[in-house]
Amino acid sequence: MDAEHTKIPQATAKRLPLYYRFLNNLHSQGKLRVSSRELSEAVKVDSATIRRDFSYFGALGKKGYGYNVEYLLSFFRKTLDQDETTKVALIGVGNLGTAFLNYNFTKNNNTKIEVAFDASSDRIGEEVGGVPVQHIDDLEKRMDGIGVAILTVPATAAQGIADRLVAAGISGVLNFTPARITVPSNVRVHHIDLAIELQALVYFLKHYPLNEED
Amino acid sequence: MDAEHTKIPQATAKRLPLYYRFLNNLHSQGKLRVSSRELSEAVKVDSATIRRDFSYFGALGKKGYGYNVEYLLSFFRKTLDQDETTKVALIGVGNLGTAFLNYNFTKNNNTKIEVAFDASSDRIGEEVGGVPVQHIDDLEKRMDGIGVAILTVPATAAQGIADRLVAAGISGVLNFTPARITVPSNVRVHHIDLAIELQALVYFLKHYPLNEED
């Protein structure tokens, strides 16, 4: 565990990949500096939040000058460990799984989907988005070196697959099923439930002022 | 705007649909009460956070007894305006869009995808998940009464479509493209970027203790 980073609030930490990606784009366009206002426009986070976020890494900005892109970028790259690639498995090559596999994760990213699994034998041997599809029965045989799994199986299959992933030594699961899964406390689960995201948006529309950016 | 609700922190507000859904399930199983520990197990939010969240609605829990399911449910139903259905349009019937359309949003939910749009004329007239697919050229003609749009188009098309949605009077966009979109300040955008979700998970795995739940 890195003491330097454990002090960053989780909300700030969640925005780091976002900042990193945008700065990387600026850098590749040859831009040398960026103001918090420009950053704010681009990443849709208010500039006060950006300044507060950045303050957790020390005072990096200069008034009337902005932030040095290259410095920020090397800082974020170090923080996000971009140099070390995390190997990912995707379970469930349905519509959502296929969308994931076709998504260009390798661009500005430190993750790589190495293997996909599906229960349908029709898909076995296929490549989707350049990733080979294996049969779910072979899960345990092919998880070597894979630390993270994306779960895009039907809700009813989620817990059973999660149990097998845990037994295979996974440390993180990105759960895209509506099911809440139970795992040991040393395994991290991030849950993205499409229905809940939609309900949250509707709730915010009804109850929060419309002139604020989220 | 409802003054009673504007005081709820956004982080708490985001968990409301989650609580609501679980309580609805409990209720349909005939359960009369639930402890914060049980809730915590089910929704994967620590019980201290649950108690703090619930305190924003007044002290609803009793020590050693837990929360009254029916009371909570009627409270949440009122808060989430479950009785009023928000009509939703989905733009882009690719893999991700199809996954969304096949997802059972109407269960325990106050949103309904009424119409889907796609640029490919092959899909026009199809029904996906019971939702008719229309041509994107007809967008403006068919947005009557629709307040929210789910954006699952290619990144390059995102801003152009967003502009048309805004002109058609949309108030909220759930943006699933990697593109950040610019809209007037009275339009709310929630952005879910699959790559960033994955990067955030990897970042948390590397920098946050593994014995905490997220």
Side-chain angles (χ1 to χ4, degrees), chain A residues 48-80:
Chain A
T49 301
I50 289 178
R51 284 191 297 270
R52 200 183 55 236
D53 282 353
F54 284 17
S55 75
Y56 290 111
F57 313 105
L60 299 172
K62 273 188 213 159
K63 199 137 196 167
Y65 174 88
Y67 297 92
N68 180 309
V69 170
E70 197 146 1
Y71 180 87
L72 269 180
L73 199 57
S74 69
F75 190 93
F76 283 123
R77 192 177 287 132
K78 211 181 81 199
T79 306
L80 290 169

Side-chain angles (χ1 to χ4, degrees), chain A residues 23-176:
Chain A
L23 288 164
N24 219 4
N25 289 343
L26 282 186
H27 187 249
S28 62
Q29 288 159 29
K31 276 207 78 169
L32 299 177
R33 53 192 186 147
V34 61
S35 67
S36 55
R37 204 178 51 76
E38 283 174 284
L39 262 168
S40 170
E41 279 280 303
V43 298
K44 310 297 177 199
V45 172
D46 68 88
S47 47
T49 301
I50 289 178
R51 284 191 297 270
R52 200 183 55 236
D53 282 353
F54 284 17
S55 75
Y56 290 111
F57 313 105
L60 299 172
K62 273 188 213 159
K63 199 137 196 167
Y65 174 88
Y67 297 92
N68 180 309
V69 170
E70 197 146 1
Y71 180 87
L72 269 180
L73 199 57
S74 69
F75 190 93
F76 283 123
R77 192 177 287 132
K78 211 181 81 199
T79 306
L80 290 169
D81 296 328
Q82 291 290 321
D83 300 330
E84 190 193 326
T85 298
T86 298
K87 292 181 181 176
V88 179
L90 179 136
I91 330 288
V93 191
N95 283 304
L96 189 58
T98 302
F100 250 119
L101 292 172
N102 286 325
Y103 197 107
N104 192 354
F105 280 113
T106 47
K107 207 178 160 194
N108 304 347
N109 213 319
N110 57 343
T111 51
K112 186 171 189 296
I113 302 180
E114 290 270 324
V115 60
F117 296 95
D118 200 81
S120 157
S121 35
D122 298 353
R123 320 260 352 213
I124 315 311
E126 253 184 69
E127 283 211 353
V128 181
V131 178
V133 180
Q134 310 281 353
H135 197 275
I136 188 68
D137 287 352
D138 295 332
L139 182 78
E140 286 76 6
K141 288 183 211 154
R142 299 180 192 270
M143 291 296 286
D144 219 35
I146 290 176
V148 170
I150 299 172
L151 209 55
T152 49
V153 296
T156 48
Q159 186 62 54
I161 299 291
D163 293 344
R164 289 176 62 189
L165 288 168
V166 167
I170 210 86
S171 54
V173 178
L174 198 56
N175 178 15
F176 271 92

Side-chain angles (χ1 to χ4, degrees), chain A residues 8 43 180 185 193 208 210, chain B residues 8 43 103 180 185 208 210:
Chain A
I8 303 171
V43 298
R180 298 257 136 188
S185 61
D193 184 322
Y208 286 87
L210 293 170
Chain B
I8 303 171
V43 298
Y103 197 107
R180 297 259 134 186
S185 61
Y208 287 87
L210 293 171

Side-chain angles (χ1 to χ4, degrees), chain B residues 16-24 73 76-77 80 82:
Chain B
L16 287 185
L18 188 62
Y19 295 144
Y20 174 74
R21 176 187 280 211
F22 176 67
L23 287 164
N24 220 2
L73 199 57
F76 283 124
R77 192 177 286 131
L80 289 169
Q82 291 291 320

